Amino acid sequence: MSKKKKGSNFKLLCLFFLCLIQTTAASFGVGGGVGVGIGGGGVWIGGGVNNGGNRNTVPGSASNNGAYSALQAWKLAITEDPSGVVKTWVGSDVCSYKGVFCSGQSITSIDLNHANLKGTIVKDLALLSDLTILHLNSNRFSGQIPDSFKSLASLQELDLSNNRFSELFNKRLDAILLNNNQFVGELPRNLGNSPASVINLANNRFSGEIPTSFGLTGSRVREVLLLNNQLTGCIPESIGMFSEVEVFDVSYNSLMGHVPDTISCLSAIEVLNLAHNKFSGEVPDLVCSLRSLINLTISFNFFSGISSECSRISFGFDFSGNCIPGRNSQRPQPDCSGYSGGSLSCLRIPTQPLACAAISVGLKESDNHYTSSP
């Protein structure tokens, strides 16, 4: 009798254990067999073949599968990874990758600033359709920005500064930060079409003229930084259309001609830096009377005079290194008399007084019509 009872209990125990395994399998959605292992102080339940992947991975959606493919393609294009950043890019859980940030299961931000990565940017990144921020500051990326980036409709911030790119990428972004690269050639003709609030192309090797259409779209740009390039020609009159600009810095170029009167339309401007160029003529009252202007630097040009309004202001204004009579720290007279940059003819709007709200009409009609005289 005792033996019969023991046998029944054993069968019940087996049935209970089998049900437990089946219930566990159903709860975790395990298919292709169930494995139960106990050891090493932990318990794991899994099924199918152990492929050695990341145990933290989650079933991927279609977008995640595309993101995985994109990042793995980029990983292969990175030839040096001294900090071991992309070495963490293992497994299908892309949201666990170092430098990759997600909202839900979608990649919305990639921040690899100061990773010192060397390689190229791959066209596959266009698969990251929800990407809003791509920060690659201070790396060693080179080559071209893929044309496929144009399809990144959600991208708002692209920071490629301090890299080794050889061509400019122009896209409608909230911030264009392409300073400290080795970009060469002319600025894109449609640069002013961007709704970006910051345009930073400083410390490159851009040459040619600032596009005459720059500003005609009435962009909401607040900072324009074109300093330390090789730009020539005039500042276009269309600059006056940047009604919200607060900082405009074109110092350390080879710009020439007069200061356009339309700068007086920049009612919000606080910092205007024209230093170390080849500007000439007189600095007009219209510029020095800007109500928000707190820093005007025109040093080391060939300005021959300043208006009465400018002469009354000293704090925050630097006029040194010019050809202005009666001012201290000016160029020696032989440098001034031998300079012929004043022969450059720039487009000028003759209407006085200047009607800032209406200047776009005349500018659009005259776009690309100013010439340089020998």
Side-chain angles (χ1 to χ4, degrees):
M1 189 73 176
S2 176
K3 289 183 179 179
K4 186 176 180 180
K5 184 177 182 181
K6 287 182 178 179
S8 298
N9 291 341
F10 179 76
K11 289 180 181 178
L12 289 172
L13 180 61
C14 288
L15 287 171
F16 173 78
F17 188 64
L18 180 60
C19 289
L20 176 63
I21 294 176
Q22 291 175 340
T23 302
T24 303
S27 299
F28 284 85
V30 178
V34 178
V36 179
I38 302 175
V43 178
W44 59 267
I45 300 175
V49 178
N50 182 5
N51 61 8
N54 185 348
R55 288 185 181 176
N56 293 322
T57 57
V58 295
S61 64
S63 60
N64 254 15
N65 291 337
Y68 172 79
S69 299
L71 293 182
Q72 291 304 311
W74 194 16
K75 181 178 179 179
L76 291 175
I78 294 175
T79 57
E80 292 185 17
D81 178 21
S83 301
V85 174
V86 299
K87 290 179 182 178
T88 69
W89 293 9
V90 178
S92 59
D93 184 9
V94 294
C95 297
S96 70
Y97 291 3
K98 189 172 182 179
V100 176
F101 302 90
C102 296
S103 176
Q105 291 299 309
S106 298
I107 295 177
T108 56
S109 175
I110 296 178
D111 189 344
L112 299 177
N113 283 350
H114 303 282
N116 198 24
L117 298 170
K118 181 180 180 180
T120 57
I121 307 296
V122 296
K123 60 182 177 57
D124 308 71
L125 291 180
L127 295 172
L128 307 179
S129 58
D130 295 316
L131 190 67
T132 59
I133 295 174
L134 180 58
H135 286 176
L136 304 178
N137 186 307
S138 302
N139 285 282
R140 290 176 288 154
F141 289 112
S142 59
Q144 299 183 9
I145 307 301
D147 288 339
S148 61
F149 267 39
K150 295 177 182 177
S151 64
L152 291 173
S154 299
L155 191 62
Q156 296 178 9
E157 290 188 19
L158 176 64
D159 187 351
L160 304 178
S161 53
N162 296 304
N163 278 280
R164 300 177 180 177
F165 293 109
S166 59
E167 288 189 11
L168 175 64
F169 171 69
N170 180 30
K171 194 180 185 300
R172 297 178 68 84
L173 302 167
D174 182 63
I176 299 177
L177 308 173
L178 299 178
N179 52 298
N180 296 88
N181 286 283
Q182 296 179 14
F183 290 117
V184 297
E186 295 186 352
L187 298 176
R189 298 292 94 184
N190 61 342
L191 180 63
N193 293 340
S194 172
S197 60
V198 177
I199 298 177
N200 187 348
L201 307 182
N203 304 316
N204 284 286
R205 290 184 292 164
F206 287 118
S207 57
E209 301 172 346
I210 299 174
T212 55
S213 60
F214 196 44
L216 287 182
T217 57
S219 172
R220 61 184 180 88
V221 67
R222 295 184 182 278
E223 294 185 23
V224 177
L225 303 174
L226 303 178
L227 61 147
N228 198 22
N229 279 283
Q230 300 169 12
L231 299 175
T232 57
C234 309
I235 295 179
E237 297 275 351
S238 54
I239 186 65
M241 294 298 293
F242 286 133
S243 58
E244 298 182 29
V245 73
E246 297 173 354
V247 178
F248 184 75
D249 191 338
V250 292
S251 59
Y252 291 92
N253 281 285
S254 295
L255 297 169
M256 304 171 73
H258 63 272
V259 177
D261 291 345
T262 53
I263 282 185
S264 64
C265 295
L266 307 182
S267 58
I269 196 166
E270 298 177 358
V271 177
L272 177 61
N273 193 340
L274 309 178
H276 292 271
N277 280 283
K278 299 177 181 179
F279 293 114
S280 58
E282 185 174 277
V283 183
D285 274 331
L286 290 169
V287 174
C288 293
S289 60
L290 285 165
R291 64 176 182 271
S292 298
L293 190 63
I294 58 176
N295 188 300
L296 172 65
T297 304
I298 63 169
S299 57
F300 295 96
N301 281 284
F302 291 87
F303 286 112
S304 57
I306 55 176
S307 65
S308 56
E309 181 70 23
C310 294
S311 62
R312 288 196 293 266
I313 304 172
S314 58
F315 180 75
F317 285 36
D318 186 354
F319 301 130
S320 62
N322 282 284
C323 303
I324 304 173
R327 303 288 298 193
N328 295 326
S329 304
Q330 299 297 296
R331 291 180 182 273
Q333 186 55 40
D335 290 355
C336 297
S337 59
Y339 178 67
S340 59
S343 62
L344 181 69
S345 177
C346 301
L347 170 69
R348 305 203 74 162
I349 295 179
T351 306
Q352 294 292 338
L354 192 64
C356 294
I359 64 173
S360 61
V361 176
L363 287 173
K364 288 177 180 178
E365 292 177 351
S366 305
D367 188 18
N368 291 321
H369 283 80
Y370 73 79
T371 58
S372 300
S373 304

